[in-house]
Amino acid sequence: MKAEASAHSQLNFSTRKKCPDKRFLLCDFTKSSEMSGSSPFKMRFVHLDLKGAPPKVSYFSEIFPLFHALGANGLLIEYEDTFPYEGHLGLLRAQHAYSPSEVKEILRLATLNELEVVPLVQTFGHMEQFVLKHETLAHLREVALFPNTLNPHEAECLALVRAMIDQVMELHPGARWLHVGCDEVYYLGEGETSRQWLQQEQNTKAKLCLSHMRAVASHVLAQHPTTTPLVWDDMLRDIPEDQLSALLMEKYRKSGFLRLWAASAFKGATGPSQALPPIDYHLRNNLQWLQVAACGPADTLQGIILTGWQRYDHFSVLCELLPVGIPSLAICLQSLLHGGFAEDVRAKVENLLGTVSLETTGLMSEGASSFPGSDILALVTEGLHLRSSVDEMLQRDRYVTGWFSPYHRRRKLIHPVMIQHVQPQALSCLGLSVSWPGGAPSCRSWRLPCIMSSTRMPWRSGWRRMCTPAWGSCRRCCRTSVRLLAPGPPWPSPALTWVRTLERGDFPHPCPAVSSLTFASC
């Protein structure tokens, strides 16, 4: 395999989303970019994962100038089913896919803002995204039951991958790099054909993995000789030295990859249903990469990709939307650009985002921001504040847990004095939702002006899942407390009318004072 090292030395490596602090991407450049500030990374690419909540082209026209101002000089675009595949690949194309003219406009906007584009096409693992989930292509799976991985023994699989690459490259002429994925190739070697192949002497999973990667890379180099293929490195880490004479940074350098890339994350790496990125976590991740760059030889780490996964696969829910992750991206990019996150860097980020106070821990403050998509961040933050307030009341308030539990409420065995402690908090939490569109977290009237309409259904579904239980629990507490305080029929009492008004999202008058109501017997 040492003789084959030169054949796959054009490959470049990195790792995957669940462990963003353990990523490496190796590259050999023919050009270098001008160093900005005190950053050890000449190239700073922002990853756009378009397989969930793809932005409208008009939003790219707003956000690309901000990317450039924050210090980015490149984009890694993972199209998945939003790419306008044609011909026999047309079934891979989603209904909301970009048109060829829209892809060209995205590239024009990127060039206008000095952002170099690297397209990403999955060619081995993660093929469930938009390929192997189709019944007509199910026969190409490594394991028949699981749509994750291509069968590397099927010639039709390589033909499919080549056709996908060629169509993507046709709309990206002159691209210096093409990322071919190859991460998380689950169940490789578990298919029947692979099992038989592995029984032969000297055949291993490592050799099987490398052979497919090499075949894909060879096609890229043969058909697009000015383009260098890139791959994530997680499938290569455990390969023995005699087959890949390097492990991680030091071993990769011994293999001849003298210039390496890193990959961190700014969102999408801390949970499949994460609503807001933990900024402090991502900031520490990127600061650690600065330390790694400082400890190695000069210019060893040429660039870094800040990944921003939108969903873990096509069967998972959406995680943080791109507009919600902008503050995290801004902090991480500026920290990489200036070599740290000092107060002057914080002030610059606040200025670029139009934010009065920038939070790196916990939820963002309720102060207004003016960056593109900040209204969506405000909605998400308000929703999380509501859920947090209701959870705090229902799970930690001594009066609720001690005297107003579901058991007490079902049986109406509640001490009248305790209702006076519970009701104001419940009404306060209920009032938090009034500022939401529609007055409730069902999100039916929510609009995402910068995101394609296809996102609205999973977006609403996710928010119902997250906030509706809190909303329902709060509403039931309010109704129960009002009914128990009221003198009895006829209904509704003034306070109950006020609760119903809150649910409609209106404030006609203050809530009737508890002291003006008569306690019902328990």
Side-chain angles (χ1 to χ4, degrees):
M1 291 297 290
K2 288 186 178 179
E4 296 170 349
S6 60
H8 63 72
S9 62
Q10 293 298 318
L11 283 172
N12 309 280
F13 310 105
S14 167
T15 60
R16 186 64 170 149
K17 61 189 164 215
K18 282 94 176 175
C19 302
D21 56 330
K22 296 181 180 179
R23 295 172 171 249
F24 302 91
L25 182 64
L26 292 83
C27 254
D28 187 7
F29 289 99
T30 56
K31 293 184 180 180
S32 61
S33 300
E34 182 179 352
M35 183 75 77
S36 299
S38 57
S39 175
F41 299 108
K42 297 180 179 180
M43 303 294 288
R44 297 167 296 278
F45 278 38
V46 176
H47 171 229
L48 297 176
D49 183 11
L50 305 181
K51 65 175 174 285
K56 295 179 180 178
V57 176
S58 58
Y59 185 62
F60 288 132
S61 68
E62 299 179 61
I63 207 68
F64 284 178
L66 179 60
F67 287 177
H68 176 72
L70 290 170
N73 50 21
L75 302 171
L76 176 66
I77 302 183
E78 188 167 358
Y79 289 101
E80 301 289 355
D81 58 353
T82 64
F83 186 81
Y85 289 104
E86 299 177 342
H88 69 286
L89 298 181
L91 80 165
L92 309 183
R93 176 178 180 171
Q95 293 182 350
H96 59 272
Y98 298 107
S99 66
S101 61
E102 286 177 321
V103 171
K104 292 178 181 178
E105 177 62 13
I106 293 173
L107 299 180
R108 187 191 71 82
L109 292 170
T111 301
L112 188 65
N113 290 281
E114 301 179 24
L115 300 171
E116 185 167 3
V117 172
V118 175
L120 188 155
V121 183
Q122 289 288 359
T123 60
F124 203 178
H126 281 293
M127 297 300 283
E128 81 279 354
Q129 314 285 51
F130 62 111
V131 181
L132 297 182
K133 65 181 181 182
H134 296 287
E135 185 177 354
T136 55
L137 298 174
H139 65 285
L140 301 180
R141 298 174 180 178
E142 167 72 338
V143 178
L145 184 60
F146 306 133
N148 305 68
T149 302
L150 279 175
N151 183 344
H153 305 281
E154 285 283 349
E156 187 180 347
C157 289
L158 190 57
L160 173 66
V161 167
R162 288 170 175 170
M164 292 166 56
I165 289 174
D166 291 343
Q167 288 201 18
V168 170
M169 290 302 297
E170 185 177 353
L171 283 181
H172 296 77
R176 285 200 287 167
W177 302 281
L178 170 69
H179 204 306
V180 294
C182 296
D183 61 313
E184 296 181 348
V185 188
Y186 296 142
Y187 312 110
L188 179 64
E190 297 185 18
E192 184 59 33
T193 305
S194 292
R195 288 178 185 272
Q196 296 177 8
W197 185 85
L198 289 172
Q199 290 177 357
Q200 301 176 26
E201 189 177 358
Q202 295 184 344
N203 283 349
T204 63
K205 287 186 180 180
K207 185 181 293 187
L208 184 61
C209 180
L210 281 174
S211 64
H212 182 80
M213 289 184 178
R214 188 165 53 249
V216 173
S218 297
H219 173 75
V220 174
L221 295 171
Q223 298 299 317
H224 313 280
T226 60
T227 302
T228 300
L230 318 177
V231 297
W232 301 116
D233 87 316
D234 56 302
M235 294 302 298
L236 305 175
R237 292 179 179 181
D238 296 329
I239 292 180
E241 291 188 40
D242 61 341
Q243 297 181 50
L244 181 69
S245 59
L247 276 180
L248 301 182
M249 292 182 65
E250 180 60 32
K251 302 187 79 175
Y252 286 145
R253 285 197 295 265
K254 291 180 180 179
S255 292
F257 298 98
L258 301 180
R259 297 182 178 183
L260 314 180
W261 280 58
S264 61
F266 70 93
K267 76 177 188 72
T270 54
S273 60
Q274 187 79 24
L276 276 180
I279 297 180
D280 57 334
Y281 174 88
H282 295 299
L283 175 59
R284 289 196 305 271
N285 176 209
N286 284 274
L287 292 179
Q288 288 170 351
W289 274 115
L290 286 173
Q291 296 175 5
V292 171
C295 293
D299 295 334
T300 296
L301 287 173
Q302 289 292 102
I304 186 168
I305 295 176
L306 291 87
T307 59
W309 309 98
Q310 188 52 75
R311 60 168 57 168
Y312 280 24
D313 60 45
H314 271 235
F315 295 95
S316 70
V317 297
L318 298 174
C319 47
E320 308 100 309
L321 296 176
L322 176 59
V324 173
I326 294 302
S328 176
L329 175 63
I331 290 173
C332 294
L333 270 174
Q334 281 287 292
S335 298
L336 292 171
L337 182 65
H338 296 287
F341 190 61
E343 285 303 315
D344 57 334
V345 178
R346 175 190 290 270
K348 185 173 182 179
V349 172
E350 290 176 346
N351 180 61
L352 289 170
L353 298 183
T355 301
V356 177
S357 178
L358 191 64
E359 300 291 340
T360 59
T361 59
L363 298 180
M364 289 287 291
S365 64
E366 297 183 1
S369 299
S370 60
F371 65 86
S374 57
D375 53 340
I376 295 178
L377 173 60
L379 288 173
V380 172
T381 303
E382 289 176 11
L384 293 177
H385 274 301
L386 170 63
R387 187 179 69 172
S388 176
S389 299
V390 174
D391 289 346
E392 179 72 23
M393 179 188 70
L394 295 179
Q395 299 173 17
R396 297 179 179 85
D397 184 89
R398 64 191 298 262
Y399 298 109
V400 174
T401 57
W403 289 273
F404 208 69
S405 69
Y407 174 87
H408 291 91
R409 297 199 298 270
R410 282 196 303 270
R411 290 161 177 77
K412 297 184 174 58
L413 299 174
I414 303 172
H415 195 297
V417 173
M418 298 306 167
I419 297 178
Q420 296 184 82
H421 293 284
V422 172
Q423 191 187 61
Q425 296 182 68
L427 290 173
S428 175
C429 291
L430 195 64
L432 287 176
S433 66
V434 174
S435 60
W436 286 31
S442 65
C443 309
R444 292 178 180 174
S445 61
W446 285 32
R447 294 293 181 266
L448 305 176
C450 61
I451 307 294
M452 289 187 178
S453 59
S454 61
T455 302
R456 291 175 186 169
M457 187 57 67
W459 167 251
R460 294 171 186 167
S461 176
W463 276 95
R464 287 193 186 101
R465 181 188 67 255
M466 186 182 75
C467 292
T468 297
W471 165 265
S473 299
C474 181
R475 182 176 57 185
R476 285 190 293 272
C477 284
C478 290
R479 286 180 175 273
T480 302
S481 66
V482 169
R483 285 193 171 101
L484 291 176
L485 284 172
W491 293 95
S493 71
L496 184 60
T497 302
W498 193 82
V499 170
R500 288 174 175 169
T501 302
L502 268 178
E503 294 169 3
R504 293 195 300 270
D506 193 11
F507 278 113
H509 52 74
C511 177
V514 173
S515 59
S516 67
L517 300 175
T518 303
F519 289 126
S521 59
C522 297

